[in-house]
């Protein structure tokens, strides 16, 4: 229904941003990461997700497309509702969540209030299972050859899988990673650099 809402930030509260758009105040539930990028009186664009139930309608807002993509992946995990997904994104940036999935870092999720060990394991398992991407798979899908020497294949596979979590295509991922020296950087830095390249 809504792809994004752009207007002036009217007010902010914990996990809430009110955006004045043409004289209408839209109340959006947001993560702490999105909240820190907003200031009252300044213009902002938030990408939106409308959550509908029989007894409620709630609009969620995200600072960028990557965070929205992560949210949509998370609510697709059994047992994870929109509030839990928003809580996870309040403690993890998109790059951090992608890294947690790629590396199986359960602690990155269990630090979130309300997210126990079983839910954390389910998130890691289901997101990784849904992706199922390897370095060779990513190259085959794009019609391109792997971009790194054999010793860096694991980093390439993990980075590809993490970026696929955020909704990027194999061709986009290949192009972003092609510009990065995989051997010189740890996995999380590779993911962050790739995201920066794709935002240009």
């Amino acid at each position: 229904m809504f792809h994004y809402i752009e207007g002036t930030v009217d007010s902010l509260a914990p996990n809430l941003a009110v955006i004045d758009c043409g004289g209408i105040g839209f109340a959006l539930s947001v993560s702490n990461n999105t909240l820190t990028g907003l200031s009252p009186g300044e213009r902002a664009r938030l990408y939106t997700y409308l959550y509908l139930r029989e007894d409620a309608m709630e609009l969620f807002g995200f600072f960028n497309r990557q965070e929205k993509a992560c949210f949509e992946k998370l609510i697709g995990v059994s047992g994870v509702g929109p509030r839990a997904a928003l809580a996870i994104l309040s403690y993890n940036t998109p790059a951090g969540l992608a890294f947690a999935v790629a590396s199986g870092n359960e602690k990155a999720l269990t630090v979130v209030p309300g997210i126990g060990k079983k839910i954390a394991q389910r998130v890691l398992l289901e997101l990784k299972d849904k992706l199922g991407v390897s370095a060779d798979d990513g190259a085959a899908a794009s019609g391109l050859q792997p971009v790194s020497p054999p010793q860096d294949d694991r980093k390439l596979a993990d980075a590809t899988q993490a970026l696929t979590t955020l909704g990027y295509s194999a061709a986009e991922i290949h192009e972003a990673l092609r510009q990065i020296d995989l051997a010189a950087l740890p996995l999380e830095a590779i993911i962050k650099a790739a995201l920066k390249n794709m935002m240009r």
Side-chain angles (χ1 to χ4, degrees), residues 19 64 80 85 128 132 141 151 154 172-173 177 180:
I19 306 295
N64 53 40
V80 178
K128 196 164 242 186
Q151 63 265 31
R154 186 63 196 171
E172 289 173 318
I173 293 168
L177 292 176
I180 300 168

Side-chain angles (χ1 to χ4, degrees), residues 77-139:
V77 174
S78 56
V80 178
R83 283 289 163 188
L86 201 66
I88 290 171
L89 291 172
S90 287
Y91 280 76
N92 295 274
T93 63
L97 179 61
F99 178 71
V101 172
S103 60
N105 184 2
E106 186 181 302
K107 290 182 180 179
L109 300 176
T110 55
V111 297
V112 180
I115 302 298
K117 187 172 183 177
K118 287 185 179 179
I119 291 294
Q121 290 174 341
R122 193 177 300 156
V123 168
L124 297 177
L125 178 64
E126 291 193 25
L127 288 187
K128 196 164 242 186
D129 285 349
K130 285 176 182 176
L131 301 176
V133 177
S134 70
D136 290 339
D137 291 337

Side-chain angles (χ1 to χ4, degrees), residues 8-77:
T8 302
V9 179
D10 179 78
S11 59
L12 301 172
N15 296 121
L16 179 70
V18 177
I19 306 295
D20 184 330
C21 182
I24 299 173
F26 290 89
L28 299 96
S29 296
V30 297
S31 71
N32 288 339
N33 288 321
T34 289
L35 202 62
T36 58
L38 302 174
S39 298
E42 294 187 358
R43 289 190 65 80
R45 172 184 288 188
L46 295 182
Y47 296 90
T48 58
Y49 181 92
L50 182 62
Y51 181 71
L52 292 172
R53 296 183 311 188
E54 290 183 4
D55 59 343
M57 180 172 70
E58 189 169 7
L59 193 60
F60 291 83
F62 307 95
F63 200 71
N64 53 40
R65 292 184 181 91
Q66 290 78 23
E67 190 181 40
K68 180 182 177 181
C70 284
F71 178 83
E72 291 173 334
K73 295 281 187 183
L74 285 167
I75 61 175
V77 174

